[in-house]
Amino acid sequence: MTIRTRFAPSPTGYLHVGSARTALYCWLFAKNQQGTFILRIEDTDPERSTQAAVDAILEAMEWLGLSWDEGPFYQTHHFDRYREVANHLVNTHHAYHCYCSKERLEALREAQTAKKEKPRYDGHCRHLTPGALDKPYVIRFRNPDSGTVVIDDCVRGRVVIQNSELDDLIIVRSDGSPTYNFTVVVDDWDMKITHVIRGDDHLNNTPRQINILQALGAVIPIYAHIPMILGSDGKRLSKRHGAVSVQQYRDEGILPEALLNYLVRLGWSHGDQEIFTRDEMIQYFALQDINKAPSAFNPEKLLWLNQHYLKTGDLVELTKQLQTQMDRLGVDTSIGPRLQDVFIAQRERAKTLKEMAEKSVYFYQDFERVDNEAKEKHLTEEALGYLNVLYQELEKISDSDWQAASIHAALEKTAATLGIKLGKLAQPLRVATTGNTMSPPIDITLQLIGRERTLVRLASQGLTVGAGAL
Ligand code: GLU
């Protein structure tokens, strides 16, 4: 048997990280089993589905590298098929035309609520023959009256639901459009899905879907309902907790490898391993290792993983991504140091590419002014005196010799002449040339900033406080 999984997003917005995790699990399981991963766009709700949302989902899937083997399939392209199956169910008495008016259903609901009963359809039209009345109708599935539905869920274990709890579900609306639970069933059947892996917010739908599948004589897939992702307050992860869309993380400078690695561990484990390559994830992934309890989103851990991938990832590829972030900041990197050298200098110093880009602007653009606090602390009269001496040493280095080693030698020499420690010189120098107190080692920083820019920046600091020698 070939394993077939599907990811079936409703295109109503961005790709939520919870959905991305579902997609990842479907993809991993298919890959692990040499199966087929299918992408199905559940776009039957015309009010909420948009092309922009479809595009956003496809783009996010591609960015994550979750490539599909079949699809994307669009449910709106299959309305004829849903109608055909609905008619088949009517013809085999598994479904019937229901003519009940809104008013009748409303009154029924009110009466049931007043008696503290769960509102449910009472089967009023169950015994009518199709076409009995010349009135608009919906098609309802005739749910079995008795017995149970048993789900042997890969994550939840056995779940048993009494059929008496379920009422006759509408599968086709009066305008002829199919309903959500019905399209899922027809597609899972037609696509020969063997494993339905989805969020446990769908667990309520599963017994209804199984009953319809059974009426169709379909093979029932195996289900794995994944617990939700929670925010730090224990509530379901939502915008209130910060970024929830894959695109937002991408824009923040999170790497796809880091996000995937984070998501795979969020609800699944393999011993106590934290860092997984894509191949390891595929190799080790197993449905029975999915946690039963919901997991809480931990942004710190995501950043930790991101830093790991920044440190260890492919230089050329990461530089390209840093370029995107620099472009986004409107920084022209065509004049100045090679961006790849900036990346090498910064790769251990930032948790995201965005942060790295923000911390690299001074290599290409002059900063407006030195951070006030840094200025007060480090650009003291005494320090400016040291910088004056250093300036003269640096000036002696020619443009072609402007390398970390020669810069370092100039610093050493100046410190020795002044009888001070290197640090006494390095930090004021950093503040004067970068505008703040954090940068890669100062000799590398100056090499990247370049000779002319370094000297101009030093001079301008000196002049501001009127240090004569400059
Ligand atoms: N379209 C559903 C959703 O986006 C998923 C349905 C399913 O996986 O069965 O929540």
Side-chain angles (χ1 to χ4, degrees), residues 142-271:
R142 191 189 303 275
N143 199 77
D145 295 317
S146 57
T148 57
V149 184
V150 178
I151 310 166
D152 279 316
D153 192 272
C154 289
V155 179
R156 291 287 190 114
R158 176 160 286 202
V159 181
V160 181
I161 300 97
Q162 303 294 326
N163 268 321
S164 55
E165 298 274 311
L166 307 171
D167 64 356
D168 290 351
L169 182 79
I170 296 176
I171 58 173
V172 177
R173 299 186 191 89
S174 56
D175 64 2
S177 63
T179 59
Y180 162 71
N181 274 300
F182 184 56
T183 55
V184 167
V185 162
V186 175
D187 285 344
D188 284 345
W189 182 37
D190 283 350
M191 294 176 178
K192 300 190 169 47
I193 300 301
T194 59
H195 291 73
V196 172
I197 303 167
R198 61 184 172 197
D200 68 2
D201 48 337
H202 286 286
L203 190 58
N204 279 342
N205 294 321
T206 308
R208 298 174 176 285
Q209 294 179 7
I210 289 179
N211 279 335
I212 304 175
L213 284 163
Q214 248 149 7
L216 291 167
V219 179
I220 311 299
I222 292 167
Y223 290 90
H225 287 94
I226 317 168
M228 296 285 97
I229 299 177
L230 308 177
S232 48
D233 56 358
K235 303 225 168 73
R236 194 175 161 172
L237 186 70
S238 73
K239 278 191 191 145
R240 283 183 301 116
H241 300 103
V244 282
S245 84
V246 170
Q247 281 89 342
Q248 261 171 300
Y249 284 102
R250 181 197 60 195
D251 294 348
E252 287 295 318
I254 296 288
L255 303 172
E257 299 78 18
L259 188 54
L260 283 184
N261 196 150
Y262 180 68
L263 290 176
V264 80
R265 281 286 292 107
L266 191 63
W268 172 84
S269 57
H270 177 73

Side-chain angles (χ1 to χ4, degrees), residues 261-325:
N261 196 150
Y262 180 68
L263 290 176
V264 80
R265 281 286 292 107
L266 191 63
W268 172 84
S269 57
H270 177 73
D272 47 21
Q273 186 168 339
E274 288 293 356
I275 292 175
F276 293 86
T277 63
R278 219 172 258 263
D279 287 343
E280 284 174 325
M281 287 184 206
I282 292 172
Q283 191 185 338
Y284 302 144
F285 189 78
L287 293 176
Q288 58 271 22
D289 294 331
I290 296 177
N291 299 345
K292 288 183 177 43
S295 344
F297 200 87
N298 177 351
E300 285 305 314
K301 190 168 166 197
L302 173 60
L303 288 174
W304 174 77
L305 280 165
N306 203 53
Q307 195 158 28
H308 166 79
Y309 285 99
L310 281 177
K311 285 184 198 165
T312 57
D314 180 75
L315 187 58
V316 174
E317 175 53 32
L318 289 174
T319 303
K320 251 192 244 161
Q321 297 188 34
L322 178 60
Q323 181 70 59
T324 309
Q325 294 286 349

